[in-house]
Amino acid sequence: MKFVLFLLFLGLIHSASLAQETSLGGTLVDAQNYKKLAGAELFIEKSFFKTISDENGAFLFTSKKLPLGEQVLRVSLTDYKELRIPIVIETGTEKDLGLILMHPILADYANQISTISLSDAELDEDEAQIDNLSGLLQASRDIFLNAAAFDFSQTFFRPRGLDSEHGKVLINGVEMNKTYTGRPQWSAWGGLNDVQRNQVFSMGLTPSDVSFGGLAGTTNIIMRASQYAKGGKASIAAANRSYFGRLMASYGSGELKNGWAYSISASRRFAKEAYVDGTLYDANAFFLSVEKTFNEKHSLNFTGFYTPNIRGKSSPNTAEVFELKGRKYNAYWGYQDGEIRNSRVREIKEPILMLNHFWEFSEKMSINNNFAFQFGKTGNSRIDFGGTRLAEINDQNSYVGGGTNPDPTYYQKLPSYYLRFPDNPNYEAAYLAQQDFKEDGQLNWQQLYNANTAAGYTVYALAEDRNDDLKFDLNSIISAKISESISLDGKLAFSYLNSHNFASIKDMLGGATFLDVDFFAEGDQEASLEQRAQSDLQNPNRNVTENEPYKYNFRLFASNVNAFGQLNFDYDRFDFYLGTTASQTFYQRNGLFQNGNYPDNSLGKSGKLNFTDFGGKAGANYKITANHLLAFNAAWYSKAPNLRNSFSNARQNNEVVIGLQSEQLQNVDLSYRYRSSNIKARLSAYYTQIKNATEISFYYADGLSGLGRNSTTAFVQEVLSGINKQHLGLEMGMEAQITSAIKLKAAAAMGQFTYNNNPSLYLTSDDFNDIVDYGTSYIKNYRLAGGPQRAAQIGFEYRDPGYWWFGTTFNFFSHAFLDVSPLTRTSNFLNDTDGLPILNYDENVAAGLLKQEQFDNYMLVNVIGGKSWLVKGKFIGFFVSLNNIFDQLYKTGGFEQSRNANYRTLKRDRERENPIFGPKYWYGTGASYFAMIYLRF
């Protein structure tokens, strides 16, 4: 009896405490179509109370300490006008504000659906020098990150100096980063801007519901049919940057009475030639999402999209080529029958299909199960000029033929080549080469056809390097509310990749077949020339036709199991989180050809590579006052090396990178935020270390020592391992609402991104038998390449109540650096080709030769503007964006060529007026525009 009375007493106390609880709630919806709005930030001004609306647009403040009396509720959401709602909070009451209508800002809508796709071409480049993060940042409401996404990105500025492999992109909770490179392949969902607007972004390693995250942040794109508002959008646009024109349309049904919802979208982007000469663009996009809500607890969503795209690449150019042809010049194209034809075309056709099951297990727990399947091809074309025929010479099979390099910027075709001997320059030949290059200087397709016809066999062919991937993902995500202040997020995921890699002939250029041998192979005491030359010893001297695998043929297998858990603690003035992750990664190569240079280590399966990784993170926010907040984040975790950097020469053999191990990543950052009714600001300091990274490069080198043969040249695979990198700096963003129509904004970044140690370097090649180990590469304190490390912006916006607006930004950039050659910073630089130290070596001269080039500072001015009309419930408008209006010339990236590998050859080349093997550069786009007319209904 006493126990029963005690329980009743506790119950009365609990009831009394509930009675004293005060709450404030409501639901946010779009004023046009009553779509429920998720992810809005809600603040009770002059207090510490903050919350975020859920996927149903609902929000709830509940606490005994809610401020009483007359208060102001502030509501902020990207693309919508900020609200300040007067309210009265009374003690012990549950106040429901009902539906709160938010009005869209058409300027923000127009800016998003136009600007995002301007960088599609650059976003997918393979070269690390122009790796871009802007696609990851477009969902961020942060002032600085908005500047980075929409104004800084054209320079390939990278926040905190991080590659996109350190950012996670998910669609409906499924990770989209490629296993091979670790980077998101943006074009796989390019052209679907209208259906990408539901995004949740987590900055850095701050909490995400769907992933442990990455150093550069996490974006989850929600492509769920029920989350799209009822209505449609259509637009037509013209531009001169990546493409010439774009057509786009989408429609969403909203939630129908029978529990179904659907959304569709399609677009086309096209250009025969974009800003850079010869860069075609041909991209289509199709999207379908269908969802069935069975009851309050269960719904099933299907999402599928297919975005086939073809894009012509542009060449990096030396200073000599730039001076002769300008920044729009591109060596990869030429005319064929009066039409532009690019030899370096990237083609991606990879549909993605996914099923998503949403289960509201209880009022406090939800479970999301996802399955995704991706398949298709990625191809990169190039000209193969090594075509030969089989001949018998001295009773032995041999190969005759092979063509000259058709690249119009090949060093032997430029004026500098004829002036390479200071004592005996050939001015006449140099002048003729200069005039020929200035008047034409493009790829001569007809000459290639003629050469094949004259030879009677295929010398030149258009080849394609193919990756045909088949990948599936399974995961389960759980979110649970443990108590009023504690919540749990967790995920268990599995992915599997089967990637078929091979080369094939796309076009014989008038020929019939192509002899599949290596024209540059050399015989030795261990193997004959005929054996060394074979791509596949199982089928020697094979003649291939179009679309057959040749040169190399192998499969890569990868699987990954990972789990993460995260606890979030949310209190009035203090909130913090704890997160952890664990993963197991497996890689394997299966050679389908027996390569003549590696007969014992190319055919069949390699050993299995296994990596076990762990990590943890923690962070906290402390609200000093209602307007001032401090935030702290720290993380340590390891991750498996990318598949690309695991096998030293995957095209030819099963060799694994020596000493390969997981990367170690450490990060700490501290931020101060200020927020009032008219000013928002953030100042952050960060420090990041990346350890044990590996990078593999492929190039032709001259001046190599220790090869154990007479020649000092070879096409090599450079393996740089044990790399440590350091990223530190400051970020600042500030926004001030001067009047209801005028807003001022500013942003700045001051970074220092360097190599933090001297890693190890070795070379492999089919031109020599053994690994050539050059030991240490002395690159410590050299700057990391990849966009400016410092940037600043000041700008303003004017929004008229009559639905027209304009704005401009002034953007300053500095401290961008050329990518250095690690090989020239090894012992090979000091040694002659016989392995002995170079005579007359001058340390001061060497220091000048090895000094890293810093690009010039520059400023870019961008302008945007537009007007919209509300006509019978429909918005009609136009939007114009002008970038780099003063046509500023600037370099976005570049790299030292490693052709001159030692002191003597590099010094000789640098002393020339125009070095033959000078650095190659990419240049930024000049004055460019984007103009769009749109309808929203």
Side-chain angles (χ1 to χ4, degrees):
M1 178 60 69
K2 291 182 180 179
F3 181 69
V4 172
L5 290 173
F6 179 70
L7 290 178
L8 289 173
F9 177 71
L10 288 179
L12 289 171
I13 293 175
H14 181 64
S15 298
S17 68
L18 289 179
Q20 296 169 9
E21 197 88 325
T22 303
S23 68
L24 173 70
T27 303
L28 304 177
V29 297
D30 188 297
Q32 269 190 274
N33 47 42
Y34 286 82
K35 172 196 171 185
K36 297 170 183 176
L37 300 177
E41 292 183 344
L42 298 100
F43 302 85
I44 298 176
E45 291 189 356
K46 299 180 181 179
S47 81
F48 305 110
F49 291 93
K50 168 188 172 184
T51 190
I52 296 176
S53 61
D54 65 19
E55 63 180 14
N56 295 313
F59 67 91
L60 182 67
F61 293 94
T62 177
S63 174
K64 299 175 187 178
K65 299 180 181 179
L66 282 180
L68 303 177
E70 295 182 356
Q71 305 293 333
V72 175
L73 175 65
R74 182 148 43 94
V75 187
S76 177
L77 179 63
T78 303
D79 296 347
Y80 289 86
K81 293 181 180 178
E82 186 171 89
L83 298 179
R84 297 182 74 244
I85 306 170
I87 57 175
V88 177
I89 301 177
E90 298 176 354
T91 183
T93 61
E94 297 180 359
K95 192 175 188 69
D96 187 353
L97 300 177
L99 294 182
I100 299 175
L101 305 183
M102 297 195 71
H103 294 270
I105 301 174
L106 272 297
D108 288 349
Y109 167 73
N111 188 37
Q112 184 185 44
I113 65 175
S114 62
T115 312
I116 288 177
S117 58
L118 284 178
S119 298
D120 280 349
E122 294 91 336
L123 286 170
D124 275 323
E125 285 291 353
D126 292 326
E127 295 85 355
Q129 289 83 1
I130 50 177
D131 176 46
N132 202 308
L133 266 173
S134 67
L136 187 69
L137 307 175
Q138 290 150 2
S140 172
R141 289 184 290 268
D142 182 81
I143 303 161
F144 171 80
L145 294 182
N146 265 278
F150 295 109
D151 285 299
F152 295 173
S153 62
Q154 61 189 305
T155 71
F156 300 101
F157 171 84
R158 297 184 293 194
R160 304 189 179 185
L162 297 168
D163 297 336
S164 62
E165 69 173 281
H166 295 294
K168 297 295 183 183
V169 176
L170 301 94
I171 295 179
N172 291 349
V174 179
E175 187 172 323
M176 293 288 112
N177 294 55
K178 280 288 194 180
T179 305
Y180 187 66
T181 62
R183 298 174 179 173
Q185 185 166 278
W186 306 99
S187 61
W189 51 91
L192 298 174
N193 306 57
D194 283 345
V195 294
Q196 292 181 47
R197 298 181 67 240
N198 296 333
Q199 298 187 21
V200 179
F201 176 76
S202 299
M203 182 177 173
L205 285 162
T206 56
S208 166
D209 297 344
V210 294
S211 174
F212 180 81
L215 295 172
T218 303
T219 293
N220 184 31
I221 304 172
I222 301 170
M223 293 184 174
R224 183 179 172 186
S226 65
Q227 298 301 302
Y228 294 109
K230 182 178 181 179
K233 311 176 190 73
S235 65
I236 182 171
N240 71 335
R241 190 174 180 183
S242 298
Y243 50 75
F244 173 75
R246 189 191 74 185
L247 304 171
M248 184 179 293
S250 63
Y251 179 78
S253 69
E255 293 186 68
L256 302 176
K257 292 181 180 180
N258 58 6
W260 287 94
Y262 66 86
S263 178
I264 57 175
S265 183
S267 75
R268 171 158 176 75
R269 295 162 293 161
F270 54 89
K272 287 187 176 179
E273 186 175 46
Y275 181 83
V276 176
D277 294 343
T279 51
L280 70 99
Y281 200 103
D282 185 358
N284 299 301
F286 308 96
F287 168 87
L288 172 66
S289 183
V290 180
E291 184 171 353
K292 170 65 174 177
T293 300
F294 297 99
N295 50 48
E296 292 182 355
K297 290 186 175 293
H298 294 279
S299 64
L300 186 65
N301 178 81
F302 166 80
T303 295
F305 46 94
Y306 178 46
T307 59
N309 60 89
I310 300 172
R311 177 170 53 83
K313 294 184 178 183
S314 59
S315 61
N317 298 316
T318 62
E320 178 184 14
V321 170
F322 169 78
E323 289 171 4
L324 293 173
K325 301 291 283 188
R327 69 172 156 194
K328 290 187 177 182
Y329 175 72
N330 179 15
Y332 295 155
W333 73 278
Y335 286 106
Q336 182 178 341
D337 299 328
E339 297 288 330
I340 292 173
R341 186 178 185 185
N342 193 312
S343 64
R344 297 283 186 101
V345 171
R346 182 172 175 84
E347 182 176 4
I348 300 175
K349 294 181 177 179
E350 289 192 323
I352 298 176
L353 309 173
M354 60 177 64
L355 278 175
N356 315 104
H357 173 238
F358 300 91
W359 181 14
E360 295 297 326
F361 185 81
S362 69
E363 290 184 0
K364 295 186 176 182
M365 181 183 296
S366 62
I367 299 173
N368 172 209
N369 300 305
N370 303 296
F371 170 76
F373 179 58
Q374 182 175 0
F375 59 96
K377 62 161 281 189
T378 299
N380 293 278
S381 66
R382 56 182 170 78
I383 292 177
D384 188 332
F385 55 93
T388 61
R389 64 180 176 85
L390 185 64
E392 188 175 307
I393 301 175
N394 298 327
D395 298 325
Q396 290 185 343
N397 284 337
S398 188
Y399 307 99
V400 297
T404 59
N405 192 331
D407 181 353
T409 61
Y410 183 57
Y411 75 99
Q412 294 184 10
K413 299 179 182 180
L414 295 175
S416 58
Y417 177 73
Y418 299 98
L419 305 176
R420 66 190 185 279
F421 301 119
D423 298 334
N424 188 28
N426 189 337
Y427 291 110
E428 180 182 1
Y431 176 78
L432 293 174
Q434 181 189 64
Q435 294 306 303
D436 182 64
F437 188 71
K438 291 177 69 173
E439 293 173 8
D440 183 11
Q442 298 303 146
L443 190 63
N444 191 327
W445 287 99
Q446 191 57 50
Q447 199 173 72
L448 306 185
Y449 280 87
N450 293 343
N452 286 347
T453 301
Y457 59 93
T458 305
V459 179
Y460 296 96
L462 184 67
E464 184 178 46
D465 296 306
R466 286 273 295 274
N467 306 99
D468 290 7
D469 285 355
L470 199 158
K471 182 175 184 283
F472 69 82
D473 292 85
L474 288 167
N475 70 51
S476 186
I477 303 169
I478 185 172
S479 295
K481 190 76 172 175
I482 297 173
S483 70
E484 178 187 332
S485 301
I486 304 173
S487 61
L488 169 70
D489 299 306
K491 182 178 183 180
L492 181 63
F494 172 76
S495 68
Y496 174 80
L497 170 70
N498 182 336
S499 178
H500 187 195
N501 298 258
F502 61 96
S504 64
I505 302 292
K506 288 192 72 174
D507 189 342
M508 290 288 178
L509 304 181
T513 61
F514 194 97
L515 183 60
D516 185 17
V517 296
D518 180 4
F519 175 67
F520 300 100
E522 299 178 6
D524 57 25
Q525 295 179 350
E526 296 183 9
S528 66
L529 166 62
E530 185 175 9
Q531 177 180 324
R532 291 280 193 195
Q534 300 304 318
S535 298
D536 184 12
L537 289 169
Q538 305 290 308
N539 298 281
N541 299 323
R542 182 174 63 113
N543 283 290
V544 298
T545 56
E546 292 179 3
N547 300 317
E548 282 188 77
Y550 92 123
K551 292 296 183 185
Y552 63 90
N553 188 14
F554 64 96
R555 289 186 180 273
L556 291 173
F557 303 104
S559 65
N560 175 267
V561 178
N562 73 81
F564 102 92
Q566 180 177 274
L567 282 171
N568 306 292
F569 302 83
D570 191 0
Y571 300 99
D572 292 344
R573 299 188 64 165
F574 183 68
D575 58 75
F576 65 98
Y577 68 90
L578 300 170
T580 185
T581 184
S583 66
Q584 182 74 40
T585 305
F586 150 81
Y587 297 148
Q588 188 172 39
R589 179 188 184 272
N590 183 26
L592 304 178
F593 279 179
Q594 185 180 16
N595 187 274
N597 287 293
Y598 306 96
D600 302 322
N601 192 28
S602 53
L603 185 65
K605 293 184 178 180
S606 70
K608 294 181 179 180
L609 305 183
N610 287 284
F611 304 93
T612 302
D613 296 288
F614 301 95
K617 63 178 182 176
N621 294 311
Y622 177 68
K623 300 161 189 172
I624 304 170
T625 69
N627 296 334
H628 302 270
L629 181 143
L630 289 177
F632 172 79
N633 300 282
W636 173 92
Y637 64 101
S638 63
K639 74 180 189 75
N642 297 327
L643 188 52
R644 175 182 184 174
N645 293 323
S646 296
F647 295 93
S648 59
N649 184 11
R651 290 186 174 182
Q652 292 185 308
N653 61 51
N654 288 332
E655 203 66 45
V656 176
V657 168
I658 297 173
L660 186 66
Q661 55 184 307
S662 292
E663 295 182 17
Q664 309 290 326
L665 302 99
Q666 302 166 25
N667 177 75
V668 61
D669 62 68
L670 178 67
S671 297
Y672 163 75
R673 295 179 185 272
Y674 176 80
R675 190 178 190 119
S676 68
S677 58
N678 57 356
I679 296 177
K680 302 174 187 176
R682 174 174 70 87
L683 176 65
S684 297
Y686 59 88
Y687 177 77
T688 301
Q689 281 198 335
I690 302 171
K691 298 182 178 180
N692 297 328
T694 301
E695 295 176 1
I696 300 177
S697 305
F698 302 83
Y699 54 84
Y700 191 83
D702 192 1
L704 298 175
S705 61
L707 300 189
R709 61 192 183 106
N710 293 329
S711 177
T712 62
T713 63
F715 183 82
V716 301
Q717 297 83 47
E718 176 194 275
V719 180
L720 191 66
S721 59
I723 308 168
N724 294 349
K725 302 175 184 179
Q726 179 176 277
H727 303 246
L728 59 89
L730 300 172
E731 293 173 344
M732 184 277 290
M734 185 172 68
E735 188 178 274
Q737 194 75 45
I738 305 302
T739 70
S740 61
I742 299 175
K743 180 192 293 183
L744 299 182
K745 57 183 181 179
M750 181 176 292
Q752 181 173 297
F753 318 134
T754 58
Y755 290 103
N756 200 35
N757 75 327
N758 295 316
S760 300
L761 185 148
Y762 69 88
L763 303 180
T764 68
S765 175
D766 58 18
D767 291 330
F768 45 82
N769 296 325
D770 299 320
I771 290 172
V772 178
D773 188 353
Y774 288 129
T776 301
S777 177
Y778 294 92
I779 59 175
K780 184 177 181 179
N781 296 326
Y782 278 92
R783 296 293 188 108
L784 298 172
Q789 299 191 6
R790 298 183 184 179
Q793 176 191 90
I794 187 168
F796 77 93
E797 297 176 7
Y798 176 81
R799 300 180 189 273
D800 192 270
Y803 289 105
W804 63 271
W805 68 92
F806 70 88
T808 188
T809 58
F810 298 83
N811 305 277
F812 175 79
F813 303 95
S814 70
H815 290 75
F817 296 87
L818 189 71
D819 199 9
V820 299
S821 165
L823 178 60
T824 57
R825 277 92 180 162
T826 66
S827 60
N828 182 78
F829 186 73
L830 309 174
N831 294 334
D832 213 332
T833 54
D834 58 6
L836 298 176
I838 292 176
L839 299 177
N840 302 320
Y841 180 86
D842 188 313
E843 289 187 359
N844 293 325
V845 173
L849 294 174
L850 299 179
K851 183 179 179 180
Q852 187 174 21
E853 179 183 345
Q854 180 176 341
F855 300 154
D856 292 337
N857 305 338
Y858 54 93
M859 178 178 285
L860 304 180
V861 180
N862 303 327
V863 177
I864 62 170
K867 167 70 176 172
S868 62
W869 296 267
L870 181 60
V871 181
K872 295 182 180 180
K874 302 175 178 63
F875 279 103
I876 302 171
F878 71 88
F879 172 85
V880 177
S881 171
L882 305 176
N883 284 3
N884 190 9
I885 60 174
F886 295 115
D887 201 33
Q888 175 70 48
L889 177 66
Y890 61 98
K891 296 172 182 175
T892 59
F895 58 93
E896 294 177 352
Q897 296 194 69
S898 298
R899 180 70 179 253
N900 294 307
N902 68 23
Y903 171 82
R904 179 180 292 113
T905 58
L906 183 60
K907 179 174 179 292
R908 184 188 305 131
D909 198 35
R910 290 282 183 87
E911 288 172 345
R912 299 183 175 110
E913 182 178 351
N914 278 314
I916 297 175
F917 300 109
K920 290 193 171 185
Y921 305 99
W922 282 278
Y923 293 88
T925 305
S928 62
Y929 68 89
F930 179 95
M932 174 184 66
I933 299 172
Y934 59 90
L935 169 67
R936 184 177 179 182
F937 56 92

